[in-house]
Amino acid sequence: PTSVVVDWATNYAYFGTNTQPAKVVKVNLKTMAREASLTLGDGENDGIQISGEERHSHIDNERAERY
């Protein structure tokens, strides 16, 4: 992975890959199990920006809500 965001409130970590296409992998920190992954489309691999407690993604809202 090339980036990670940890959400301690929910005990999940989100790992970003440096692949084509890029992927975001959701891992449960209590069980260390991979729970989901999301393959990004063209132009969506700009990563995740963190500002304070907010997490911002360049993934469109509909896809992010399903994730």
Side-chain angles (χ1 to χ4, degrees):
T2 60
S3 61
V4 63
V5 173
V6 176
D7 185 347
W8 295 111
T10 62
N11 287 309
Y12 284 105
Y14 301 87
F15 295 88
T17 66
N18 187 21
T19 58
Q20 288 294 340
K23 294 183 180 184
V24 178
V25 179
K26 180 180 179 180
V27 175
N28 183 316
L29 295 176
K30 287 186 177 183
T31 64
M32 296 307 291
R34 176 181 168 166
E35 293 204 356
S37 67
L38 177 67
T39 301
L40 304 180
D42 291 337
E44 290 185 320
N45 61 340
D46 294 334
I48 298 172
Q49 299 174 352
I50 302 172
S51 173
E53 290 299 314
E54 298 178 22
R55 280 97 177 139
H56 301 281
S57 173
H58 294 286
I59 304 167
D60 65 72
N61 287 337
E62 181 182 329
R63 290 182 67 203
E65 287 173 7
R66 289 182 298 183
Y67 185 61

